[in-house]
Amino acid sequence: MEQKERKKRLKRRTIIWLVVLAAVLVAAAVIAVQANRILNQPAELFATQPPATTAVPLAVETADVGLTPEPEPTPEPLPGGIVNFLVLGVDGYSDSKFKQYSEDNHTDTMLVAAVNFDKNTVDLISIPRDTFTSVPGSTGYYKVNAAVNVGGGPDAANGAGYLKSCETVSRLLGGVPVDYYLALRFDTVVDLVDALGGIDYEVEGWFKEGGREYKKGMQHLNGQGVLDYLRVRKASRTNMPVGDANRVERQKRMLIAIYQKVKEQNLISMIPTLLGTLDGVQTNVNASQILALANYAMSSVDRENIRMHALSGPSRRSEYTPWNFVFPDPEKRIELIRSVYGVTVQPDPYSSYVYLLWLEMYGFKAIHTMSVVDELMEKEAPDPAVMNEEAAAAFAQMQQAYAELSTACQAAALGLVEKPQLSTDSSRAPHALTSKLQKALKAFAKLYGYELPSLSVPDAWWTDTYINDVTVDFR
């Protein structure tokens, strides 16, 4: 009997050890496959869209009034195995001596890194922070650096703020997908550069920032020095070329210098650890992807294969808006997208100076009026089936006027691409149709017993929540 029990126990142990051995072999195989992908097939780790890029609902959904454009369709995946990463510098600090890092901070630096795993090239596309744009999911118009605020701010759950920045930059690039982001707070940049031992850099002129002074010529910059160099843009603080465009160029040159040092001194292996331990780093790139990118950069990307671009255009302000916006040059935008991604996109009708002038003359009043209708529909959910005949007829007239105005606004935006003049019939049509909708809205609201808000647009249109449903400053 004892002998039989011993045999049973031995058999059970054997089965257990076989299961354990099988599990170890499976785990080893999985690790080997993952290691091979990290070392030899990094593009495969980005073959599917990251779960975090699924749109995160905002606290308040706003109806589409027909003026917010949709991204243009683009081939999926991008030609040449390209993956886009949006690198963001957030203008906040954790140190109480400086401006506090909060939901009101914007993305001071925005740079798309288009990594082509097939050609071993990286294209860096700077997006000027003052670029005039719509934001997907919002009825209004903003500087692109405020897209993060429309999404809920830098600390929004599940990276919603940065994902909104990705969506907005994707729209500016004609629908080219931008799925991944890496956001750094200013003091994080200081810590990161210090951890790398600083940077030897040829500074093209003197500058001063925060009471610190730097001379022209080759010098060793620590983290604070690099940040000061990246931020300086006022003529009173430097003899280097000033303005946002020149500052963007300096940022790109410094990024190349940092990359070169990291590669030459074989420091790339430090990057995943640093990003994981430094405060103020937010990203939806996972650990395996970071390792794969670090190895890929070390083994496959040479400095001469890193190309720099900018979604550039003139900086202007209108009579009624007290801030400068950057308006991307339409032809250069199309050519930039074609050269980097190999796709041809249509002109963007919603990011031009003449479109801003049209909005101020006709469009903002149309948006405000249609948003009031949307609010009425959301709050009251009026049902014509239970209305009297007069109210039902007024409701139908309001719906018809809304549809006509929405269509006319889209036609006006597209017409300005072909003929950028405010005097055309298509440009002026929304004016009369807005009045028609307001009349129909007032008639229905009176019959329905609904108290309307003001239908006037304030001079500071950016504070009107019927236009910019999320109010942010444009500094």
Side-chain angles (χ1 to χ4, degrees):
M1 193 71 175
E2 280 186 34
Q3 189 174 5
K4 286 183 179 180
E5 285 299 321
R6 282 197 299 271
K7 286 182 178 180
K8 286 181 181 179
R9 286 196 296 269
L10 181 60
K11 186 176 181 180
R12 283 196 295 269
R13 290 195 194 102
T14 302
I15 292 172
I16 291 171
W17 279 111
L18 287 173
V19 171
V20 171
L21 179 60
V24 170
L25 290 174
V26 170
V30 170
I31 292 171
V33 169
Q34 187 73 349
N36 180 64
R37 294 172 76 192
I38 289 172
L39 295 174
N40 302 313
Q41 298 170 313
E44 288 192 5
L45 293 169
F46 301 92
T48 57
Q49 194 180 49
T53 59
T54 303
V56 179
L58 300 180
V60 178
E61 289 292 337
T62 311
D64 182 357
V65 299
L67 284 174
T68 302
E70 295 297 324
E72 302 168 21
T74 305
E76 294 278 1
L78 285 172
I82 300 174
V83 179
N84 288 317
F85 303 85
L86 181 60
V87 181
L88 302 145
V90 185
D91 62 348
Y93 296 85
S94 57
D95 191 321
S96 60
K97 292 183 295 183
F98 299 97
K99 180 175 56 180
Q100 288 297 299
Y101 177 68
S102 73
E103 63 182 13
D104 295 325
N105 292 102
H106 304 326
T107 48
D108 191 68
T109 299
M110 305 182 76
L111 189 73
V112 176
V115 180
N116 190 322
F117 288 104
D118 289 348
K119 295 183 178 179
N120 295 334
T121 60
V122 177
D123 287 277
L124 302 177
I125 307 171
S126 64
I127 311 294
R129 65 176 189 165
D130 293 338
T131 300
F132 179 74
T133 183
S134 63
V135 176
S138 169
T139 58
Y141 291 83
Y142 301 84
K143 290 184 176 184
V144 69
N145 69 343
V148 66
N149 308 102
V150 177
D155 288 331
N158 301 315
Y162 298 122
L163 292 172
K164 186 59 68 176
S165 295
C166 289
E167 284 185 75
T168 305
V169 170
S170 173
R171 199 204 70 72
L172 286 168
L173 294 177
V176 167
V178 181
D179 292 328
Y180 299 94
Y181 65 84
L182 174 65
L184 301 172
R185 217 168 50 205
F186 281 167
D187 46 0
T188 307
V189 174
V190 174
D191 293 340
L192 182 60
V193 173
D194 284 342
L196 296 174
I199 300 294
D200 293 323
Y201 190 81
E202 182 75 32
V203 179
E204 60 269 35
W206 64 263
F207 68 96
K208 54 186 178 181
E209 190 77 15
R212 297 171 292 275
E213 297 186 6
Y214 304 86
K215 298 179 181 179
K216 177 182 178 179
M218 177 61 69
Q219 52 191 290
H220 184 79
L221 297 176
N222 62 10
Q224 187 62 59
V226 167
L227 180 61
D228 290 343
Y229 175 79
L230 295 177
R231 296 209 70 198
V232 66
R233 63 191 179 104
K234 294 184 178 180
S236 60
R237 298 180 181 177
T238 182
N239 66 345
M240 298 184 293
V242 296
D244 275 341
N246 290 301
R247 186 176 66 149
V248 165
E249 287 303 312
R250 288 196 294 274
Q251 291 170 348
K252 288 189 290 186
R253 287 198 299 271
M254 178 58 75
L255 190 61
I256 295 291
I258 293 173
Y259 171 77
Q260 192 66 18
K261 172 174 182 174
V262 166
K263 185 169 183 179
E264 288 176 351
Q265 298 190 14
N266 198 22
L267 301 175
I268 286 182
S269 59
M270 295 174 55
I271 299 300
T273 301
L274 285 173
L275 293 180
T277 57
L278 290 174
D279 291 332
V281 178
Q282 294 168 287
T283 183
N284 61 346
V285 182
N286 63 39
S288 294
Q289 291 169 327
I290 292 174
L291 285 170
L293 285 172
N295 179 73
Y296 173 75
M298 185 68 183
S299 62
S300 304
V301 181
D302 296 322
R303 177 172 180 167
E304 56 268 23
N305 287 331
I306 300 177
R307 300 175 297 213
M308 296 183 288
H309 316 267
L311 190 69
S312 58
S315 177
R316 303 179 67 176
R317 73 172 61 185
S318 72
E319 181 181 351
Y320 302 103
T321 305
W323 290 283
N324 278 23
F325 291 100
V326 171
F327 300 92
D329 182 285
E331 293 182 1
K332 290 180 179 178
R333 168 185 171 269
I334 292 173
E335 180 53 37
L336 185 156
I337 296 168
R338 183 189 296 119
S339 67
V340 174
Y341 300 105
V343 296
T344 301
V345 299
Q346 297 300 311
D348 180 3
Y350 304 98
S351 296
S352 69
Y353 179 65
V354 70
Y355 183 65
L356 172 60
L357 297 181
W358 177 85
L359 284 169
E360 292 174 338
M361 186 173 291
Y362 305 119
F364 286 138
K365 188 174 182 180
I367 294 175
H368 179 103
T369 304
M370 288 190 284
S371 291
V372 171
V373 174
D374 291 334
E375 182 179 67
L376 184 158
M377 297 295 289
E378 183 179 349
K379 285 184 175 180
E380 301 293 325
D383 183 1
V386 298
M387 300 177 193
N388 62 41
E389 186 175 342
E390 185 180 11
F395 181 72
Q397 290 176 353
M398 182 185 72
Q399 287 185 307
Q400 179 63 31
Y402 182 105
E404 290 174 359
L405 179 56
S406 177
T407 300
C409 287
Q410 291 180 349
L414 296 173
L416 289 171
V417 174
E418 299 296 325
K419 193 173 183 179
Q421 297 178 6
L422 300 179
S423 59
T424 63
D425 290 343
S426 64
S427 295
R428 293 183 297 179
H431 177 62
L433 291 172
T434 299
S435 297
K436 179 180 178 180
L437 176 57
Q438 289 190 351
K439 182 179 179 180
L441 172 60
K442 290 176 181 177
F444 173 71
K446 183 177 180 179
L447 292 168
Y448 195 76
Y450 181 79
E451 185 176 351
L452 287 173
S454 172
L455 296 180
S456 299
V457 176
D459 290 339
W461 58 264
W462 54 92
T463 65
D464 185 343
T465 55
Y466 288 106
I467 297 173
N468 277 17
D469 46 304
V470 177
T471 301
V472 298
D473 64 56
F474 284 156
R475 69 181 187 279

